[in-house]
Amino acid sequence: MTMTALLFALLALLLTPGPTNTLLAVAGTERGWRGALWLIPYELAAYLAVTLPLVLGGAVVLPLLPMLKPLITAAAALWVLVLAVRLWRLPKPGAAVQTSGQQVFVTTLLNPKALIIGLVLLPGAPLLPRVLLFALLVIGVAALWAAIGACLSGGPDCPANRAAPLIRRSAAVWLGALSVGLLISALPA
């Protein structure tokens, strides 16, 4: 895969709404764009913790352990369901911010996108430029999702109406649907 093809494939996958992007958007609604940016290193670290070992050894290990993929998928589905329930519960007015770096890290570790990136998109030579491109795109897309959340909530970084409770509930429904889809895909055929 050429670097240009890799760029577009990574962008298409990273921009797709999923659990990590949903959390970043919610963080943008909670604390504005600038306030959500501190979560990006958690996402990047988790993506690299999954994708780099997969690039370096996943093609050898996964065929030897066929039950690993459904187990990882089921774990991801359960975590996304937990996030959906947490997001559904609206915080009390004046309550502390809900989205944490730990949530973003664990969610990204369990994100099925990491498997696709680590096993399909990143393998190839030269590896270092491919990983750098991936890291830059993760940072850019995460900042974009945080900005979307900030704009939707009418936070200090973007003028719009205040719709944070609706956004939280919508995100909870989306994550619940993702969780069900992941659980179904983890079941044996």
Side-chain angles (χ1 to χ4, degrees):
M1 177 179 299
T2 67
M3 289 297 280
T4 303
L6 178 64
L7 168 76
F8 287 113
L10 285 170
L11 267 177
L13 191 58
L14 290 172
L15 285 169
T16 303
T20 302
N21 290 339
T22 301
L23 281 182
L24 287 164
V26 168
T29 67
E30 292 170 341
R31 60 183 74 119
W33 181 70
R34 283 182 229 113
L37 291 180
W38 71 273
L39 295 169
I40 294 174
Y42 290 93
E43 179 183 3
L44 181 59
Y47 263 133
L48 292 175
V50 172
T51 58
L52 289 179
L54 288 175
V55 168
L56 299 173
V60 174
V61 174
L62 284 179
L64 299 174
L65 302 169
M67 285 304 297
L68 193 57
K69 185 179 177 193
L71 287 175
I72 292 170
T73 303
L78 292 174
W79 175 250
V80 170
L81 183 60
V82 166
L83 289 175
V85 170
R86 286 182 183 171
L87 282 174
W88 184 261
R89 296 183 193 141
L90 296 174
K92 295 177 183 170
V97 172
Q98 301 279 327
T99 307
S100 70
Q102 181 182 11
Q103 286 175 322
V104 170
F105 185 81
V106 171
T107 300
T108 306
L109 277 179
L110 297 172
N111 194 330
K113 291 179 188 181
L115 296 174
I116 297 167
I117 293 165
L119 293 172
V120 177
L121 298 179
L122 285 184
L127 182 59
L128 184 59
R130 298 169 83 78
V131 171
L132 289 175
L133 174 65
F134 171 60
L136 290 173
L137 290 175
V138 166
I139 293 166
V141 169
L144 175 67
W145 275 99
I148 289 168
C151 285
L152 289 174
S153 71
D157 301 324
C158 189
N161 60 0
R162 297 209 62 72
L166 177 61
I167 293 167
R168 287 184 67 84
R169 291 272 168 95
S170 298
V173 169
W174 173 249
L175 289 176
L178 280 176
S179 175
V180 170
L182 286 170
L183 280 173
I184 291 170
S185 73
L187 295 174

